[in-house]
Amino acid sequence: MSLADRKNYMEQCTRCSQCKFVPMPKSKDFSSICPSIDYGHFHAYCGGGKVVTAYGYLHEKIEASPGMIDSVYACTMCGACDTACKTHFGDNVEPFDTLLELRARMAKDGKVPPALKGIVENLTSEGAPGGKRADRSKWTEGLEITDAREHSVDVLLHVGSNNAYDAAQWDHLRLMTRLFGAAGVDFGILYDSESDSGGIAYELGYREVAASLAGELKSQLTKCKASVLLAADAESYSAFKDIYPRLGVSLDTVRILHTTEYIDELITSGKLSLALENDIKVALHDSCRLGRRSETFEPWEGSWIRVLNTMAVPDSPRPVRFGNHGNYETPRRLLSRIQGLE
């Protein structure tokens, strides 16, 4: 798909501004749903505003000024505007998909914030948004984990760039590997050969970089013969389920799971037993990419037709993702297993 392919969607935006708000908000204080407009305080920063921007850019009515570039790339790509819009208009507008195509067009034109160019260069040279490839598996020091580059494994654990380069996450990673060992899981990692999932490259508009990273992982999966691809971070999980189908990259029969899902399966099957107690109060934050952005993307093969030479409509039903089928329940089940937790 291209920005031009989004024209019919863009023309159906009614400028209602519902993309800025939680559907049927009960309080003004908690009504906002868009981090971008909370930052920019101007219509151009919301989903609908970016649809208008995309339409103008497509038809060469506006130029990519610094302000325009800032509004387009201020978005966190959380997808909240998309689900809010679909609550009212179904699949008519889909602002998130339009923003993806707008960024791809702007990246192709070289109209991106300078700081992002460094991220893409590092993705290309080091396989990560930041950090050196040689440091990617520092968290494994002192651990004995199967090298999936050399051995076949049932489960390939994809650590993800966010975890690999953030020392604050290393204890969590080490705990996961101990749990998998206790459950007798045949798993491995790719050590310094693991690269970023490519999700961030795609979201920034760099399709070729994203496709290269996705292709690299698919080859590694084939080589190690894993039947399960286990994502340790939400960004990779979202990329595998949402971005790879957009790229046309199929992981065939490999199951894609987040670590919360896999640990829950191990406990349910009796392979892992945890006696956990804690009397603290917690608030669960549903990560955007673990939740609404983890619905599997289904390409639409139809086309548009014009009714009475006026409004364009699809000639066949399109799959609509409302964000309902993300990974919401598993983290809640895991928390419910902790005795005394409130």
Side-chain angles (χ1 to χ4, degrees):
M1 185 168 283
S2 67
L3 186 59
D5 294 327
R6 300 297 307 172
K7 178 177 178 291
N8 291 323
Y9 297 87
M10 291 186 270
E11 289 179 345
Q12 296 192 66
C13 177
T14 65
R15 316 295 189 263
C16 71
S17 288
Q18 293 295 338
C19 54
K20 302 173 184 174
F21 306 107
V22 174
M24 301 180 68
K26 297 181 180 180
S27 165
K28 180 181 178 181
D29 291 340
F30 299 99
S31 63
S32 176
I33 202 172
C34 176
S36 179
I37 199 165
D38 288 343
Y39 157 76
H41 300 288
F42 193 68
H43 184 69
Y45 285 83
C46 73
K50 293 180 179 68
V51 169
V52 177
T53 298
Y55 196 78
Y57 194 69
L58 170 65
H59 292 90
E60 299 181 351
K61 299 296 183 181
I62 60 173
E63 296 181 354
S65 66
M68 183 270 223
I69 294 173
D70 181 65
S71 69
V72 171
Y73 281 93
C75 179
T76 63
M77 307 301 280
C78 71
C81 64
D82 201 66
T83 55
C85 177
K86 287 174 179 174
T87 300
H88 299 276
F89 294 100
D91 60 354
N92 288 329
V93 184
E94 295 182 332
F96 180 78
D97 288 54
T98 294
L99 179 54
L100 284 173
E101 298 306 329
L102 174 58
R103 284 187 171 186
R105 174 71 172 271
M106 292 177 65
K108 183 178 180 180
D109 294 343
K111 306 298 183 181
V112 300
L116 297 186
K117 294 179 180 179
I119 291 176
V120 176
E121 289 174 359
N122 210 74
L123 279 167
T124 302
S125 62
E126 302 292 341
K132 299 295 184 181
R133 183 174 290 279
D135 296 330
R136 193 173 185 96
S137 57
K138 272 190 171 183
W139 67 274
T140 65
E141 292 180 2
L143 302 177
E144 293 184 4
I145 303 174
T146 300
D147 189 340
R149 297 171 298 185
E150 305 295 335
H151 304 280
S152 297
V153 293
D154 291 337
V155 178
L156 177 63
L157 176 62
H158 189 276
V159 176
S161 299
N162 292 333
N163 290 324
Y165 295 101
D166 184 358
Q169 303 300 323
W170 293 357
D171 283 344
H172 302 149
L173 291 175
R174 291 165 181 152
L175 173 60
M176 275 194 289
T177 62
R178 289 199 297 271
L179 292 177
F180 296 153
V185 176
D186 176 22
F187 77 100
I189 61 174
L190 295 167
Y191 287 88
D192 296 344
S193 293
E194 179 188 288
S195 293
D196 189 85
S197 64
I200 188 172
Y202 191 94
E203 291 179 2
L204 294 179
Y206 291 86
R207 300 284 172 85
E208 292 183 0
V209 176
S212 176
L213 292 168
E216 177 184 324
L217 177 59
K218 182 172 182 177
S219 296
Q220 292 167 329
L221 269 170
T222 301
K223 182 179 179 181
C224 72
K225 301 179 181 179
S227 60
V228 175
L229 174 59
L230 193 56
D233 73 338
E235 182 181 281
S236 297
Y237 182 63
S238 173
F240 300 150
K241 301 189 73 174
D242 178 27
I243 301 301
Y244 281 29
R246 296 175 188 271
L247 288 167
V249 176
S250 171
L251 299 182
D252 303 316
T253 59
V254 175
R255 291 184 69 205
I256 301 169
L257 296 174
H258 186 259
T259 47
T260 55
E261 294 174 306
Y262 194 63
I263 291 173
D264 186 62
E265 285 189 4
L266 292 175
I267 295 173
T268 302
S269 66
K271 294 180 180 179
L272 184 64
S273 178
L274 299 178
L276 301 175
E277 291 186 19
N278 206 315
D279 59 359
I280 64 172
K281 292 183 178 181
V282 300
L284 174 64
H285 168 67
D286 283 311
S287 165
C288 305
R289 286 167 176 77
L290 187 59
R292 70 173 74 91
R293 287 287 315 281
S294 70
E295 280 191 320
T296 301
F297 178 79
E298 300 177 44
W300 178 58
E301 303 297 337
S303 59
W304 290 82
I305 58 176
R306 289 202 173 269
V307 177
L308 300 176
N309 201 33
T310 54
M311 180 174 288
V313 297
D315 65 355
S316 59
R318 293 176 298 178
V320 186
R321 300 185 309 157
F322 288 95
N324 297 332
H325 301 293
N327 183 10
Y328 296 106
E329 295 306 318
T330 307
R332 287 168 169 77
R333 279 200 301 272
L334 288 176
L335 287 174
S336 70
R337 296 177 187 275
I338 304 176
Q339 298 295 319
L341 196 68
E342 183 177 349

